[in-house]
């Protein structure tokens, strides 16, 4: 038995409950998203400072476009303003910001602000912050499959080269598997989140809404992770 405190290499967070957090306070849903971002800004630095190398967060699923236009616009404007205003913050913290998701039908200003912050932070090596925006796990796998088929047709690779390891290089970002997935707000669902990468993830579903999932809550989550016995399909030694 190894008693060393374990730090997961890759943490994934489904940031759920912003809307309920706001509604319970008599506020508009948008206030919940603003509060969620405030939490995320500090939390991301805290998590990467703990030694986690990769943090993936679900900011906007492709399905979220079905929400009221007012809420969608609020979120898109929030993304543009934060990606523009917080570039220096992520530079100072030495964090590399990357994105996973599809370009269409994102607004041009949103896409450009994503390109700008990822370009500016691309050489930072204090941890990778992967933001899922206009993302869906099934479409990520489908897109990867299309790229692989095209590489086979163009004879860049042969069918024998395709395996679970090489497949992951074709996903939106080539990141290691998720070790620990957290979904706040008490909902116990995966909701199309990084389906390929969560194959062996430990999962944790705290009751708190995302705006209240602060550094202290993450440390509690880490303690839970440390009590888990990860076997990857094997048996306990
Ligand atoms: C889910 O809660 C949350 C979202 C769809 C948006 C998450 C976005 C943020 C935390 C802001 C991130 C900002 C940047 C710049 C990356 P919900 O609205 O579905 O909550 P509910 O289930 O209570 O309605």
């Amino acid at each position: 038995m190894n008693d060393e405190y374990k730090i997961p290499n890759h943490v994934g967070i489904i940031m759920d409950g912003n809307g309920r957090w706001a509604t319970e306070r008599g506020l508009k849903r948008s206030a919940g998203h603003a509060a969620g971002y405030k939490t995320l800004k500090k939390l991301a630095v805290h998590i990467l400072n703990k030694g986690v190398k990769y943090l993936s967060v679900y900011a906007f699923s492709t399905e979220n476009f079905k929400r009221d236009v007012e809420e969608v616009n609020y979120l898109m404007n929030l993304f543009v303003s934060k990606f523009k205003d917080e570039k220096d913050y992520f530079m100072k913290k030495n964090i590399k910001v990357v994105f996973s998701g599809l370009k269409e039908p994102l607004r041009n200003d949103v896409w450009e602000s994503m390109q700008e912050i990822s370009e500016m932070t691309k050489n930072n090596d204090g941890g990778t912050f992967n933001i899922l925006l206009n993302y869906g796990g099934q479409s990520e796998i489908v897109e990867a499959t299309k790229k692989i088929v095209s590489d086979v047709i163009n004879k860049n690779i042969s069918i024998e080269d395709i395996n679970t390891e090489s497949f992951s290089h074709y996903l939106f970002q080539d990141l290691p598997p998720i070790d620990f997935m957290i979904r706040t707000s008490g909902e116990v669902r995966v909701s199309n989140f990084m389906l390929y990468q969560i194959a062996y993830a430990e999962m944790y579903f705290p009751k708190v809404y995302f705006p209240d999932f602060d550094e202290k809550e993450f440390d509690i989550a880490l303690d839970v992770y440390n009590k888990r016995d990860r076997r990857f399909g094997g048996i306990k030694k």
Side-chain angles (χ1 to χ4, degrees), residues 105-120:
L106 287 176
R107 281 171 8 199
N108 275 343
D109 61 335
V110 177
W111 185 252
E112 279 159 19
S113 68
M114 292 160 68
Q115 302 306 307
E116 269 171 40
I117 193 167
S118 42
E119 179 60 27
M120 184 161 177

Side-chain angles (χ1 to χ4, degrees), residues 10 48 52-56 94-98 124-130 173 175:
H10 189 173
L48 296 170
V52 171
K53 298 274 190 300
Y54 303 89
L55 170 65
S56 292
N94 193 24
I95 293 171
K96 177 175 172 175
V97 180
V98 300
N124 290 349
D125 58 7
T128 298
F129 182 28
N130 177 34
Q173 295 290 336
L175 303 176

Side-chain angles (χ1 to χ4, degrees), residues 133-196:
L133 208 167
N134 191 21
Y135 174 89
Q138 290 178 329
S139 60
E140 177 171 40
I141 294 170
V142 170
E143 290 302 313
T145 307
K146 287 188 201 164
K147 287 184 236 161
I148 292 177
V149 170
S150 146
D151 265 357
V152 171
I153 290 171
N154 293 318
K155 303 208 184 321
N156 295 325
I157 59 167
S158 67
I159 288 182
E160 289 68 37
D161 294 328
I162 305 169
N163 52 50
T164 53
E165 165 69 23
S166 66
F167 192 96
S168 67
H169 304 323
Y170 288 86
L171 298 169
F172 287 131
Q173 295 290 336
D174 186 8
L175 303 176
I178 293 196
D179 303 291
F180 191 32
M181 189 200 99
I182 300 166
R183 180 178 191 145
T184 55
S185 90
E187 304 293 340
V188 185
R189 282 192 293 277
V190 167
S191 300
N192 214 4
F193 177 78
M194 301 189 86
L195 299 180
Y196 196 84

Side-chain angles (χ1 to χ4, degrees), residues 15-20 29 33 37 59 64 67 79 82-83:
M15 307 183 289
D16 198 9
N18 290 349
R20 278 164 285 169
R29 291 178 56 82
H33 297 314
Y37 180 71
N64 288 151
R67 294 186 177 199
F79 296 145
K82 296 306 174 194
F83 300 151

